[in-house]
Amino acid sequence: MLQISQLTLPVDHADADLRLALVKRLGITDKDLRGFTVKQRAIDARRQHVSFSYTLLAEVENEPRVLKSLAKDTQIIPAPDETYRECPPRPDHVVSGRPVIVGTGPCGLFAGLLLARAGRKPILLERGKAAGDRARDVTGFWRRGWDFNPESNVQYGEGGAGTFSDGKLYTQIRDREHRIPWLLREMVAAGAPEDILIKARPHIGTDRLIKVVRHVREEIISLGGEVRFGARVSDVVIEEGAMRAVVLADGSVIEGAPIIFAIGHSSRDTFEMLHRHSVPFEAKPFSVGVRIEHPQRLVDQMLYGKWAGHARLGSAPYKFVSHTPTGRAAYSFCMCPGGLRPQDYGEHHPLAGIEFQRQIERAAYRFGGENYHAPAQLLGDLLSNRASTGQGSVKPSYEPGVVWTDLRECLPEYVIATLKLAIPEIAKKLPGYALDDAVLTGAETRSSSPVRIPRDPQTLVCTHIGNFYPAGEGAGYAGGIISAAADGMRVAEAVLRGS
């Protein structure tokens, strides 16, 4: 099997053109091509010369001869073995109890799935609701004026915070163990669309992600595991340097061997509880900023030029980083200025970043009218240092709604300064980006966890506290659905190895 990378074809190519281009690239006849599959398809929109870039796997007659003839083409290589090998339990490892997993985001669910398949019958504890019930609470709050439920919202509940981020499945983590292809195949088996297997920037949408989450949960239960909702962990039992049990808000005590905390980046009360028990924490860099919104047709035009609106391309995504002379940067995850360092918000306490987030969120809540509306400003007004008084040509998507104001009132000065430096630079590469009517909605503070719980790099057990595995986004080891799920797998593998 050969792997062929960077095989480019125009946007409007016919299906048969892919085979013809492959045969030509390999320098063989059509009859010498036994078959091929698409491994990945990306859109190359550099300099508005839009094309598809394929990575293919091909079977050919006399593979050694073909490879020798193409030795100078570094994009044609023997197909690498990218098989994920599930880790069986150590035969000599004595199991004395059931694993307890706190949190049912992607990290907790996929850790639970691997442990359940290995016969460990894990107990998963979730403070929020099942994904479907949770979605009803979130939609009711956003669109029907329902009261805010502090235990069932966009942060808490089955599926984790990424459930309502349109199910983005791309990540930049290293994946030497090939967990990501395995994860995507598992998601397809659970109801996700098959095209996530080949798209360079796949996403599945919230509705389908809920279906996937439900399928994973049902498999865990079918294998003897348990998933308990409305089960908030309020305390832990630590004895002789090891975590032995968790205590739920109703007073019940659940022993675990081991205990995995996959709590997500917003379980601040849990962080504070663990800190009281002398669990080690480290402050880490994170980002704050705003959501920026343009008309989709403008973004399509900026990225795809004459091909904007083509059915094969869909809506244009973009990704960029702008480094400013101040040493700070802005990047296109909700237009968050990066480079926020612990010294920016205080190094006197490992949880200082949480208080820093709260200060920004309190200000945003106040300037949004104290009714869960969000403060918003037009980009032209931000760049001109004036408050906004109403909507322009771009309708803000945030629900329940926005209040037009001056974002300087609720964001640190250096965040505003970074945005004002970065956006004109971005507009040089994407003409039209600095649209006066583009909407900035604040404040984005939860793009990543402000803390890390240190763990041994080999065993993944928390340093200083045995039997306790910090995992995923909340523990500072992930930043999205796929990276969190992959870290949950890593921790499950470490448990099964008996490390």
Side-chain angles (χ1 to χ4, degrees):
M1 184 80 74
L2 298 178
Q3 177 174 290
I4 302 91
S5 303
Q6 297 184 17
L7 182 69
T8 60
L9 286 173
V11 172
D12 56 352
H13 71 271
D15 291 343
D17 293 340
L18 188 55
R19 184 180 181 99
L20 293 173
L22 177 58
V23 167
K24 182 178 180 180
R25 176 77 172 272
L26 293 174
I28 61 177
T29 64
D30 186 76
K31 68 178 183 178
D32 289 331
L33 179 61
R34 296 176 183 170
F36 71 95
T37 59
V38 176
K39 181 179 179 180
Q40 187 180 78
R41 185 187 68 197
I43 299 170
D44 186 347
R46 290 172 293 182
R47 299 175 297 279
Q48 290 194 342
H49 179 72
V50 186
S51 61
F52 284 109
S53 178
Y54 287 90
T55 299
L56 304 175
L57 299 175
E59 290 187 70
V60 299
E61 296 288 346
N62 201 342
E63 180 178 309
R65 178 185 60 79
V66 173
L67 271 175
K68 184 177 180 180
S69 68
L70 298 169
K72 294 182 179 180
D73 190 335
T74 59
Q75 302 301 326
I76 300 177
I77 60 174
D81 181 3
E82 297 181 346
T83 304
Y84 170 68
R85 292 170 175 84
E86 296 189 35
C87 183
R90 258 178 45 190
D92 61 338
H93 183 58
V94 178
V95 177
S96 58
R98 299 173 66 182
V100 168
I101 301 173
V102 183
T104 61
C107 180
L109 283 171
F110 280 96
L113 182 62
L114 262 62
L115 291 171
R117 288 181 177 176
R120 291 295 303 270
K121 300 181 180 179
I123 301 171
L124 280 68
L125 305 174
E126 171 56 58
R127 69 189 296 171
K129 295 183 180 181
D133 293 336
R134 176 190 179 204
R136 282 187 283 276
D137 288 343
V138 170
T139 302
F141 169 71
W142 279 347
R143 301 173 186 171
R144 302 188 186 99
W146 291 8
D147 290 340
F148 176 73
N149 185 337
E151 300 296 334
S152 181
N153 47 64
V154 294
Q155 303 295 348
Y156 296 149
E158 186 182 35
T163 304
F164 297 95
S165 65
D166 201 28
K168 296 179 180 65
L169 302 180
Y170 41 90
T171 180
Q172 292 181 306
I173 64 171
R174 293 182 179 179
D175 186 35
R176 296 188 181 96
E177 295 80 11
H178 314 302
R179 296 185 184 97
I180 293 175
W182 182 90
L183 280 166
L184 295 177
R185 288 193 296 270
E186 288 290 321
M187 289 183 174
V188 169
E194 288 192 11
D195 63 4
I196 68 171
L197 299 176
I198 64 170
K199 283 187 174 180
R201 297 173 65 88
H203 73 280
I204 61 175
T206 295
D207 291 344
R208 281 186 165 176
L209 186 58
I210 288 173
K211 181 179 179 181
V212 169
V213 165
R214 184 185 299 119
H215 187 280
V216 173
R217 181 223 308 161
E218 290 172 349
E219 181 174 348
I220 291 171
I221 294 171
S222 73
L223 294 170
E226 299 178 41
V227 181
R228 305 181 189 179
F229 297 105
R232 180 172 66 85
V233 172
S234 60
D235 206 352
V236 295
V237 177
I238 297 178
E239 296 174 345
E240 300 178 349
M243 189 176 293
R244 304 299 183 189
V246 298
V247 182
L248 301 186
D250 64 7
S252 56
V253 179
I254 303 175
E255 296 182 352
I259 297 173
I260 300 170
F261 268 70
I263 52 178
H265 58 44
S266 292
S267 291
R268 294 166 171 174
D269 54 349
T270 311
F271 293 147
E272 291 161 357
M273 176 272 291
L274 292 172
H275 185 261
R276 290 194 298 271
H277 281 279
S278 299
V279 169
F281 280 87
E282 299 171 350
K284 62 178 280 291
F286 64 100
S287 300
V288 298
V290 296
R291 173 192 297 181
I292 186 166
E293 294 181 284
H294 296 81
Q296 184 63 60
R297 64 181 183 278
L298 174 62
V299 175
D300 293 345
Q301 185 66 39
M302 285 189 290
L303 271 296
Y304 294 158
K306 69 176 184 178
W307 296 105
H310 194 285
R312 275 190 173 174
L313 296 173
S315 300
Y318 59 77
K319 177 183 175 182
F320 55 76
V321 176
S322 175
H323 298 278
T324 70
T326 65
R328 298 185 186 274
Y331 67 96
S332 59
F333 182 94
C334 303
M335 201 56 220
C336 295
L340 190 62
R341 304 169 293 266
Q343 55 264 40
D344 291 321
Y345 54 80
E347 298 177 280
H348 60 283
H349 194 284
L351 305 186
I354 293 174
E355 181 55 34
F356 179 79
Q357 289 175 319
R358 283 174 168 153
Q359 291 173 7
I360 295 175
E361 291 161 5
R362 290 187 190 111
Y365 182 71
R366 183 170 66 254
F367 282 95
E370 300 187 352
N371 59 359
Y372 299 106
H373 285 55
Q377 188 174 14
L378 301 182
L379 176 56
D381 291 336
L382 176 96
L383 296 176
S384 299
N385 299 315
R386 59 175 179 259
S388 293
T389 58
Q391 174 185 324
S393 60
V394 181
K395 181 180 179 181
S397 65
Y398 174 78
E399 296 173 312
V402 303
V403 172
W404 298 102
T405 184
D406 189 337
L407 290 174
R408 290 178 296 176
E409 301 291 344
C410 59
L411 286 170
E413 183 278 332
Y414 54 81
V415 172
I416 298 295
T418 301
L419 290 172
K420 292 171 70 174
L421 287 170
I423 289 174
E425 289 302 310
I426 295 164
K428 293 178 182 178
K429 299 178 182 178
L430 297 177
Y433 193 85
L435 178 71
D436 283 348
D437 284 355
V439 176
L440 304 174
T441 306
E444 291 283 353
T445 59
R446 311 288 182 98
S447 62
S448 61
S449 177
V451 297
R452 177 176 288 112
I453 304 176
R455 66 190 187 189
D456 183 278
Q458 300 302 318
T459 67
L460 307 188
V461 177
C462 175
T463 57
H464 306 107
I465 298 178
N467 200 47
F468 167 44
Y469 291 78
E473 200 159 345
Y477 296 97
I481 292 172
I482 291 297
S483 61
D487 195 62
M489 293 171 67
R490 286 187 70 209
V491 168
E493 292 159 11
V495 169
L496 293 173
R497 285 194 302 267
S499 302

